[in-house]
Amino acid sequence: MPSTSARQSVPTLAPAASLVFTTLLSHGPLTRSEVGRRTGLSPAAVTKAVRPLMELGYLVEGVDEGTRPGVGRPANPVRVDAGRALFIGIKVTGDEIIAVLADLCCRIRTTRNVPLSGREPEAVLPRVAALVRELLREAVGLGVRVRGLGIAISGDVDRADGVVRYSPFLEWRDVPLAQLAGTATGLPVTVDNDVRALTVAEHWFGAGVGLSDFALVTVGAGIGCGLVVHGEVVSGAHGVAGEIGHLSLDPHGPLCHCGNRGCVEAIAADPALLRAVRAATGRAVAGAAEALELARGGDPAVRAVYARAGAAIGKAIGSLVNLLGPERVIISGEGLAAYDLFAEGIRDAFATSAFGTAAECDVMTRALSFEDWARGAAATAIQSFMGSHTYEER
Amino acid sequence: MPSTSARQSVPTLAPAASLVFTTLLSHGPLTRSEVGRRTGLSPAAVTKAVRPLMELGYLVEGVDEGTRPGVGRPANPVRVDAGRALFIGIKVTGDEIIAVLADLCCRIRTTRNVPLSGREPEAVLPRVAALVRELLREAVGLGVRVRGLGIAISGDVDRADGVVRYSPFLEWRDVPLAQLAGTATGLPVTVDNDVRALTVAEHWFGAGVGLSDFALVTVGAGIGCGLVVHGEVVSGAHGVAGEIGHLSLDPHGPLCHCGNRGCVEAIAADPALLRAVRAATGRAVAGAAEALELARGGDPAVRAVYARAGAAIGKAIGSLVNLLGPERVIISGEGLAAYDLFAEGIRDAFATSAFGTAAECDVMTRALSFEDWARGAAATAIQSFMGSHTYEER
């Protein structure tokens, strides 16, 4: 088990420039002094960080109508120039591909999606390439260059190497996706775990804005987790992080696809719920919608399945909060559709397992669409693009 | 459950100065260019960070015998001036108080310990004050001022507020220890969770040197954990973090003092082991030493108790690694005395629960004495002291 200390090398901006850029993305336009106040940087450090970003055209001074230039020193606000560059973000689910064309402020300009006919890389890649070609044509129409492609995949993804190590959903192992997609599209490609990518977008624009420590827990086909600690997304020294779905809660619990028993994912993810509902009712329940219908119809055995799932999620969140003490936990994912059935179980199990003041953590839900996940992928492409420049202070 | 985003305010150095100071503590003496290489800071940024630290006398230029000043620009190494300030570090266990007098390089100059007669604050504080007075007299003899006192306590400790929220061992709740000890000793006081304090020392001088992400798991009277993520110790938005001991592994497991069942601490900490050994043998086993003797004598029921404990620890480490993906996990604590009995259980359970490449994490053991824990407390006092200065760039 060798230790590889050089692996935290996901490209990022120089600290001060990164802080200024993302602060302006999240809160802009801001005056330089507001940037200083929000980042804790000195006026000199703000000026030094802003200058190269303005020279490159990523930041511009906003026209403040009420200020007459030349009268004193105008406190013109600075903002990100959204139209300076475009990015494509792609989320691959088990069933479809969702692609967005986003500007430098990560605002979505266009969305496209296509169903998947097969899950093997040979089936997925041509569809990705075709979607990218479509969006590149859109970009030509807008007269702005596309500077990067982000692809978000569930599972164990090594962003630094651009390799999907293992994606249980797609049944991919060691797919050098960044290289393959780069060859197919001609764009610089960033590949990241889908929940981590969504976490970047939540940090910049969502319920994580202004927080240095939060967790995003996604419930649905799987149970995922993105973590921000000390202001940065945790990506794991070996590419694995946020695997809350494989917290093992019960040695006699249901068997998980990972080989262990009683994992959160084996109790609370969609396939596990469906199996448990079928077992509890003896019916050939077809899918999540039918299971939900039975529960809402009042079937106590089915409601108990959802309650158990809620308790598993709540216990997992309690464990996470005991370990990391985040300011907030955001629960999202397709599974939110059943949140009314989960809620009590989550709340009670969290309260029981949180240790001491950890219980003060703010646990909230937030609906996010697959388009938001694709936007997360675009956010990782923006990260990589901004990180590919070198700045004076580094 | 309100979110309090302003609570990450444990005093720290300005980023660059902090990085330079701790780099020199861990690796010094170094030339400025070596500092630049190790920190990734530009020559200008190194110069800017070093200057005020030299003006304050915390850094000095080492005399490089082979270099003649004036011939070219001498590449004099810079180092921390160990003798510039002294600090006192105190670790309070359930049975005794261990105190060290440490210099600015956190090297131990003197150690003292006294047994505890009672665990209530009224019994502990006068002993702490008496030990501090002794060490202050030593410092007078050395002709150097003591600039701070660090106290390390197990449990839920709020460093920012200086309050011990809850220490199960000492049975303390909401004790404003920093204020009480400050009044009793006249020193600036830093109070921190004991495992977090030890983690600071491991990061600066131990098995965590040069790592940006590692975990320290301590096994003994309790099961604790200190985390370094993105180069900084995790202290939790609400003061709780690293509570790996309350990961719940089995809903039908033994009852834990926290009220839940099957916590790691209820299976693998000393009191739990002792209870299980008594139950397995029907004997009134007096303590850990006797239990160990029975296990080493080959009693299969006792060996099984240790094996189960090892498996619980290994599973907890697997969960931690799946969530955070650290480069290394260091196992320490008094419980290491039984490591031969735990080892196989830890190894197997870790391998089974680690997800994908997370299994590549370097899991190692390291013997650390209570003196090392007290040194950790001194390290937190050094952190606070250095953080109490303001530097130009902040």
Side-chain angles (χ1 to χ4, degrees), chain A residues 156-360:
Chain A
D156 177 359
V157 179
D158 186 331
R159 173 166 167 168
D161 287 353
V163 174
V164 179
R165 298 269 175 235
Y166 177 45
S167 175
F169 279 105
L170 297 170
E171 293 169 39
W172 288 9
R173 277 193 190 273
D174 295 317
V175 176
L177 184 59
Q179 190 200 319
L180 294 172
T183 306
T185 65
L187 291 172
V189 180
T190 305
V191 177
D192 209 337
N193 168 276
D194 56 350
V195 185
R196 281 207 294 270
L198 184 61
T199 304
V200 173
E202 279 299 284
H203 197 200
W204 286 359
F205 313 108
V209 167
L211 302 185
S212 67
D213 296 81
F214 73 93
L216 171 65
V217 174
T218 58
V219 180
I223 310 286
C225 176
L227 297 166
V228 167
V229 179
H230 297 141
E232 279 179 68
V233 174
V234 175
S235 48
H238 304 282
V240 168
E243 284 295 348
I244 199 176
H246 299 286
L247 278 181
S248 169
L249 303 179
D250 184 354
H252 307 294
L255 191 66
C256 183
H257 61 85
C258 76
N260 293 301
R261 285 195 171 273
C263 293
V264 182
E265 196 154 300
I267 300 170
D270 284 346
L273 279 169
L274 211 54
R275 264 195 308 274
V277 167
R278 283 175 189 148
T281 59
R283 295 208 223 176
V285 177
E290 194 182 334
L292 264 180
E293 212 172 289
L294 288 171
R296 297 228 171 89
D299 186 321
V302 178
R303 294 184 73 86
V305 167
Y306 282 94
R308 271 199 298 278
I313 296 165
K315 208 167 188 179
I317 291 175
S319 297
L320 171 72
V321 167
N322 288 342
L323 271 177
L324 287 170
E327 298 162 77
R328 175 174 289 169
V329 175
I330 306 158
I331 306 175
S332 192
E334 321 92 83
L336 276 197
Y339 195 74
D340 55 317
L341 301 164
F342 288 142
E344 199 182 325
I346 292 183
R347 203 166 39 232
D348 291 352
F350 172 71
T352 308
S353 56
F355 189 79
T357 50
E360 290 171 24

Side-chain angles (χ1 to χ4, degrees), chain A residues 1-2 5 8 213 227 229-230 232-233 237-238 240 242-243 248-249 251 260 322-323 325 327 352 357 360-362, chain B residues 1-2 5 8 212-213 229-230 232-233 237-238 240 242-243 249 251 260 315 322-323 325 327 352 357 360-362:
Chain A
M1 295 187 280
S5 63
Q8 299 309 88
D213 296 81
L227 297 166
V229 179
H230 297 141
E232 279 179 68
V233 174
H238 304 282
V240 168
E243 284 295 348
S248 169
L249 303 179
N260 293 301
N322 288 342
L323 271 177
E327 298 162 77
T352 308
T357 50
E360 290 171 24
C361 176
D362 173 26
Chain B
M1 296 188 278
S5 64
Q8 298 308 89
S212 67
D213 297 82
V229 178
H230 298 140
E232 279 179 68
V233 174
H238 305 281
V240 168
E243 284 294 347
L249 303 178
N260 293 301
K315 208 168 188 178
N322 288 343
L323 271 177
E327 298 162 77
T352 307
T357 50
E360 288 170 25
C361 176
D362 174 26

Side-chain angles (χ1 to χ4, degrees), chain A residues 44-124:
Chain A
V46 171
T47 302
K48 199 171 151 187
V50 164
R51 194 185 303 124
L53 291 168
M54 288 194 67
E55 281 166 6
L56 291 162
Y58 306 135
L59 298 184
V60 287
E61 284 195 335
V63 183
D64 186 338
E65 308 287 278
T67 316
R68 255 179 270 164
V71 180
R73 192 175 174 173
N76 268 354
V78 181
R79 60 178 171 84
V80 175
D81 185 1
R84 182 71 174 76
L86 289 169
F87 300 85
I88 295 171
I90 284 181
K91 151 87 174 162
V92 182
T93 75
D95 308 315
E96 58 172 346
I97 306 178
I98 301 97
V100 298
L101 183 67
D103 63 26
L104 187 56
C105 281
C106 213
R107 286 189 302 230
I108 296 174
R109 299 291 188 98
T110 314
T111 306
R112 289 272 184 286
N113 47 340
V114 291
L116 273 183
S117 51
R119 293 181 181 183
E120 57 283 10
E122 296 71 25
V124 173

Side-chain angles (χ1 to χ4, degrees), chain B residues 305-317:
Chain B
V305 167
Y306 282 95
R308 270 198 299 278
I313 297 165
K315 208 168 188 178
I317 292 175

